[in-house]
Amino acid sequence: MASTTSSPTVNTATMSQPPAEKPSAPPVNILPSQLARIYSFVHPALLLTLAASRFEAVVANPVQELLNDLPWLALLQLFFVILCVPPAGSLETASSGDNEEKKKASPRSPSAPRPGKSGHRRKQASGKNVWAGLWARLMPALLSVTLTTFIATPVLAALLVLFGAPLTTHNAETVLCAAHMAVLSASSLVYVHGTDGSVWKEVWGIARPADAVWGGALGTGLGAWFGAIPIPLDWDRPWQTFPITILAGAYIGYAAGSLISRTPFVYGKRVQFVPEVIEEDDKKTN
C-alpha cells in the first residue's frame, strides 16, 4: 500500500516542475574552409573601401549615392554569409568541421573499395552536391536580405527618428541610412539565426555571446551612435550634414566589431552591465 500511495506524489512533483528553458544559441564560428577564413578578414576591408571611395559623392548628393551604393553593400553581405557563416539550423557544421577534416585525413582501411570505373560517377555526384550546397546557402541569403529590407529598415528608421533624426524633413536620407545600417547589422543575424525568438531577445537585450556576426551588428549600432556626435558641432563642414557621419561611423563600427569580437579575449563573452562584485555581495547577504 505504501508503494501505491507514493507514486501519485512523485508524478505530481514532476508535473509541477517548470519546463526547462531553451539553452542559448552558441557563438557563431567562421566556417573552417581556407576561403571562408581569408574572406572573413577581407570583407571588412572591402566595406571600408566602398565607403571611403564613395564618401565625396555621398557628401555631394547623399540620396542618389546612398541609393546607388545599397545594391553593392547587399551583394558584399551576400558573399560574406554564403562563404563564411553557416545558415540557420546548421550551426553545428562550424564546430564539427575540424572533426570531419580529421576523418578525411585518417588512413584508409584496407577493406575499403578502391576507386575504379565508379570514380567518374562519384565526381558527378560530388559536383551535384556542391551545387546543391551552394543553392541551399543562396536561398536563405536572399531571404535574409529581403527580410532585412522590409522589416529591419522601417524599425531602424523609426529608431533614428526617436534618437533625433528629423521627422518632417530628410525622410529619404533617414530611410536610406536605416537601410544601410540594416543590411550591415541584420542580414547576417537573420541568415545565421533565422527567426529564433530566444536569440532575438538576446539581440535586443545586448546579451549575445561575442562572435563575428553579433560583433558586427553591435559595432554598427555603436559606430552610428558615436558618428552622430559631429552633426550638432558648429564647424560648417559639408560632411557634417545628416546622415553622412552616422553612416561613416556605422561602417567603421561594423568592421571593428566583426574583427575585435573574433579575438580570443572577446570571443564568446557577453556584455555585463552589473559588476560581478555586486552580484557576489548580493549572494552573501541572501
Side-chain angles (χ1 to χ4, degrees):
M1 295 296 291
S3 60
T4 56
T5 55
S6 60
S7 57
T9 58
V10 174
N11 293 333
T12 55
T14 55
M15 292 176 63
S16 62
Q17 293 180 354
E21 295 182 359
K22 185 179 179 180
S24 175
V28 179
N29 294 324
I30 299 296
L31 294 177
S33 66
Q34 185 175 4
L35 177 61
R37 296 186 181 276
I38 293 175
Y39 186 76
S40 64
F41 290 103
V42 174
H43 180 69
L46 290 178
L47 289 178
L48 292 179
T49 302
L50 173 65
S53 62
R54 306 305 300 169
F55 185 78
E56 294 183 0
V58 171
V59 173
N61 190 352
V63 175
Q64 186 63 36
E65 289 303 322
L66 290 179
L67 187 61
N68 293 338
D69 294 342
L70 188 59
W72 294 104
L73 172 61
L75 185 62
L76 288 175
Q77 289 296 89
L78 284 176
F79 275 125
F80 172 73
V81 296
I82 291 174
L83 293 177
C84 298
V85 292
S90 62
L91 293 177
E92 67 277 0
T93 56
S95 60
S96 62
D98 295 335
N99 294 331
E100 292 178 359
E101 291 181 356
K102 290 179 181 179
K103 291 180 181 179
K104 292 179 182 179
S106 61
R108 196 169 186 173
S109 61
S111 59
R114 296 182 178 180
K117 295 182 180 180
S118 60
H120 181 65
R121 295 180 181 177
R122 291 180 181 178
K123 290 181 179 179
Q124 289 181 343
S126 62
K128 292 180 180 179
N129 293 333
V130 170
W131 284 107
L134 181 61
W135 182 254
R137 294 180 181 277
L138 180 60
M139 287 303 296
L142 294 174
L143 182 61
S144 65
V145 173
T146 303
L147 291 177
T148 297
T149 303
F150 291 102
I151 298 178
T153 299
V155 173
L156 288 178
L159 289 177
L160 286 174
V161 173
L162 291 176
F163 280 99
L167 178 60
T168 57
T169 61
H170 298 79
N171 293 327
E173 289 87 342
T174 302
V175 173
L176 288 172
C177 179
H180 277 253
M181 291 178 60
V183 174
L184 278 173
S185 59
S187 58
S188 299
L189 286 172
V190 174
Y191 178 83
V192 171
H193 299 296
T195 57
D196 191 346
S198 61
V199 172
W200 286 101
K201 287 180 181 178
E202 292 179 342
V203 169
W204 288 108
I206 316 180
R208 285 290 304 152
D211 54 43
V213 175
W214 169 236
L218 185 59
T220 300
L222 292 176
W225 178 279
F226 288 107
I229 295 176
I231 294 179
L233 300 178
D234 190 13
W235 292 345
D236 293 331
R237 298 291 189 271
W239 50 265
Q240 284 182 264
T241 59
F242 173 82
I244 297 173
T245 58
I246 293 177
L247 276 179
Y251 274 84
I252 296 173
Y254 174 87
S258 61
L259 294 176
I260 293 175
S261 60
R262 295 176 58 185
T263 59
F265 300 101
V266 180
Y267 178 80
K269 297 182 179 179
R270 304 173 188 265
V271 178
Q272 293 183 354
F273 295 100
V274 180
E276 295 181 357
V277 178
I278 297 177
E279 293 180 354
E280 292 177 358
D281 291 340
D282 292 339
K283 292 180 180 178
K284 290 179 181 179
T285 54
N286 293 332

